[in-house]
Amino acid sequence: MISVRSWGLASVALCAALVHQTASAEIVVGGGVGMSQLSKYDDVDEGTAYRAFAGYRSSDLPLYFEVQYFDSGDMDIDDVDDVSLSFDGFTAAVGFRLPLSDTGSDILIKGGGYMQDSKLEGPGGSADDDGSGGMLGIGGNWMFTEHFGLNLDVQVLFGVEDFANKEDLTLATVGLVYSFYTD
């Protein structure tokens, strides 16, 4: 059986090849800061999430390709002194792009895969683990000029490894984006 990660990587490769064939395209880079939250834990506080990304989008096709680095920040566990969880890793996603303006503003819906490292830290030391799985996201860019704008992004990483169960990790960020045209 083919894993979610394999399907995600194959989809990314196919769409990257299709987007590369278009005449007018642009590379976008950016980053953001926001919040991170695990799905089913009331006693785990939200973390301060960070992300840096590079994307490739075409003006001829409604496809979007993105890779990113993410960091959930420390997520403190309420009932245990000085113990926190954190996650960091990489995602690769392919998406559908709905252009909103001639300057490059758009809405993006994306899906793909992730690889992450988990860290549990406390007074007794630390533990590390890793995992991978699927992700879905929605976001967009509000471009002030053809090259510079605001990026909004919300994504869910399904089944991150958190030492007890596999829970969904939500990352919501606001940041800046810069666009390089490659006509």
Side-chain angles (χ1 to χ4, degrees):
M1 184 169 157
I2 298 176
S3 69
V4 171
R5 182 173 158 191
S6 297
W7 276 110
L9 292 175
S11 298
V12 167
L14 174 64
C15 287
L18 289 172
V19 169
H20 181 68
Q21 300 301 316
T22 63
S24 178
E26 59 190 294
I27 296 170
V28 294
V29 295
V33 63
M35 59 77 68
S36 60
Q37 182 179 39
L38 285 171
S39 59
K40 295 183 182 173
Y41 292 126
D42 294 332
D43 60 344
V44 177
D45 293 339
E46 294 176 353
T48 302
Y50 303 93
R51 83 183 201 104
F53 66 93
Y56 189 77
R57 63 188 187 180
S58 168
S59 59
D60 298 334
L61 294 173
L63 296 177
Y64 177 73
F65 169 73
E66 178 185 272
V67 294
Q68 84 169 347
Y69 168 78
F70 69 90
D71 187 330
S72 71
D74 290 339
M75 301 164 66
D76 294 329
I77 300 174
D78 290 339
D79 297 334
V80 185
D81 291 334
D82 299 323
V83 176
S84 65
L85 283 168
S86 63
F87 307 92
D88 69 333
F90 297 91
T91 68
V94 174
F96 174 77
R97 178 175 176 258
L98 176 64
L100 299 177
S101 74
D102 292 338
T103 59
S105 296
D106 56 13
I107 295 175
L108 305 168
I109 299 171
K110 60 187 174 181
Y114 71 86
M115 295 181 290
Q116 53 72 211
D117 292 319
S118 306
K119 188 167 202 164
L120 178 66
E121 292 186 278
S126 66
D128 297 312
D129 204 350
D130 59 17
S132 62
M135 60 83 64
L136 289 175
I138 187 167
N141 299 300
W142 183 261
M143 303 301 287
F144 305 122
T145 70
E146 288 183 345
H147 297 287
F148 185 71
L150 181 67
N151 174 265
L152 303 169
D153 188 80
V154 177
Q155 53 192 288
V156 178
L157 283 62
F158 298 104
V160 296
E161 188 62 55
D162 70 357
F163 303 98
N165 298 307
K166 290 187 174 190
E167 299 296 335
D168 300 340
L169 176 66
T170 301
L171 304 169
T173 59
V174 175
L176 300 176
V177 62
Y178 188 84
S179 171
F180 299 91
Y181 284 96
T182 60
D183 283 330

